[in-house]
């Protein structure tokens, strides 16, 4: 996986922190990482965006952002309202390929869910991933409602001919309820792919040093993890966050 797209079942579910965790774990293995934010919405030009947050948490990664729109809306709507050019899927695929030529891993973070529109033609992150020939890691919620959203995202991936290495829970609660605990077994079936990690709730508030030390234990080896991640233990305790 020289290029990995990171999407999710919705917004504000932990895509950026998950991207940072994968980046940190990969860096810890001595590999080079680039992070590409396809479209940043809801921020002014001089405000730090998602890519910058990944760099703050993960460490020395190459950061790239294709477009920025000030209103917190879907990329196509935000671009239209700002009177700015939309981001085309071919642009995303080409930017990812250029970064992949000089990095071991390129993480492409989307905006919102997989099928959020990027332009007036209805192109989405799924179209960009297809053009890039890249798999899509899906970030999901822990609790009630996540199975349906995960299954719908998996269906959309298959309909676009896309592969997914698995899913990551973007925020695992310190005291998981019954639904969250049951979802540990049910999420892989809904996704048609394995559960590859779970980030502790609030992990993005850790100091960078603590985040980088702990991130490999939150992820499976397929995502650069240390091998300490064990879904069967999550129902009993929160994943360990060093520091």
């Amino acid at each position: 996986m020289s290029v990995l797209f990171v999407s999710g079942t919705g917004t504000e579910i932990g895509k950026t922190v998950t991207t940072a965790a994968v980046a940190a774990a990969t860096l810890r293995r001595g590999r080079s990482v680039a992070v590409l934010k396809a479209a940043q919405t809801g921020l002014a030009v001089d405000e730090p965006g998602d890519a910058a947050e990944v760099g703050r948490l993960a460490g020395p990664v190459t950061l790239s952002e294709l477009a920025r729109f000030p209103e917190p809306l879907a990329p196509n709507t935000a671009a239209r309202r700002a009177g700015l050019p939309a981001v085309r899927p071919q642009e995303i695929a080409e930017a990812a390929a250029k970064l992949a030529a000089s990095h071991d891993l390129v993480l492409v973070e989307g905006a919102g869910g997989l099928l959020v529109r990027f332009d007036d033609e209805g192109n989405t992150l799924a179209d960009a991933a297809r053009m890039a020939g890249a798999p899509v890691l899906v970030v999901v919620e822990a609790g009630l409602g996540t199975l349906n959203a995960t299954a719908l995202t998996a269906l959309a991936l298959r309909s676009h001919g896309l592969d997914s290495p698995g899913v990551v829970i973007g925020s695992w609660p310190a005291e998981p309820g019954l639904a969250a605990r049951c979802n540990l077994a049910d999420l892989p079936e809904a996704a048609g792919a394995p559960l590859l990690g779970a980030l502790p709730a609030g992990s993005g508030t850790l100091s960078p040093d603590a985040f980088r030390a702990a991130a490999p234990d939150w992820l499976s080896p397929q995502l650069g993890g240390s091998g300490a991640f064990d879904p069967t233990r999550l129902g009993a305790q929160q994943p360990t966050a060093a520091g």
Side-chain angles (χ1 to χ4, degrees):
M1 282 191 305
S2 60
V3 178
L4 177 64
F5 279 58
V6 182
S7 188
T9 54
T11 190
E12 301 298 328
I13 59 171
K15 290 190 301 295
T16 298
V17 181
T18 297
T19 300
V22 176
T26 303
L27 287 171
R28 199 173 181 88
R29 290 193 168 194
R31 302 175 66 205
S32 58
V33 180
V35 175
L36 173 64
K37 181 67 177 181
Q40 177 70 65
T41 66
L43 293 175
V45 174
D46 58 348
E47 293 181 283
D50 292 343
E53 179 65 3
V54 172
R56 183 187 73 82
L57 289 170
V61 299
T62 299
L63 303 177
S64 181
E65 183 182 281
L66 288 184
R68 178 172 291 216
F69 310 115
E71 294 181 313
L73 303 168
N76 182 46
T77 306
R80 185 173 64 246
R81 285 180 54 84
L84 295 171
V87 179
R88 306 293 182 181
Q90 188 63 39
E91 294 177 65
I92 301 171
E94 289 174 355
K98 184 176 181 179
L99 289 168
S102 56
H103 295 82
D104 296 315
L105 176 64
V106 179
L107 297 168
V108 183
E109 184 184 345
L114 180 70
L115 298 186
V116 169
R117 291 189 171 204
F118 273 74
D119 59 27
D120 286 336
E121 285 70 48
N123 288 304
T124 68
L125 193 73
D127 296 296
R130 178 176 50 79
M131 291 180 184
V136 180
L137 179 68
V138 180
V139 183
V140 304
E141 294 183 295
L144 199 62
T146 194
L147 297 179
N148 179 65
T150 300
L152 288 172
T153 300
L155 178 61
L157 286 169
R158 291 193 297 272
S159 72
H160 283 80
L162 296 171
D163 293 325
S164 175
V167 299
V168 172
I169 297 172
S171 180
W172 181 255
E175 298 181 1
L178 177 61
R181 297 196 304 272
C182 291
N183 286 341
L184 292 172
D186 294 337
L187 273 168
E189 183 175 355
L195 177 61
L196 297 181
L199 276 62
S203 57
T205 65
L206 293 173
S207 70
D209 286 345
F211 184 91
R212 295 167 197 174
D217 292 343
W218 304 333
L219 303 170
S220 74
Q222 190 171 350
L223 295 178
S226 64
F229 173 67
D230 181 0
T232 64
R233 297 172 55 193
L234 291 180
Q237 63 184 43
Q238 183 185 19
T240 300

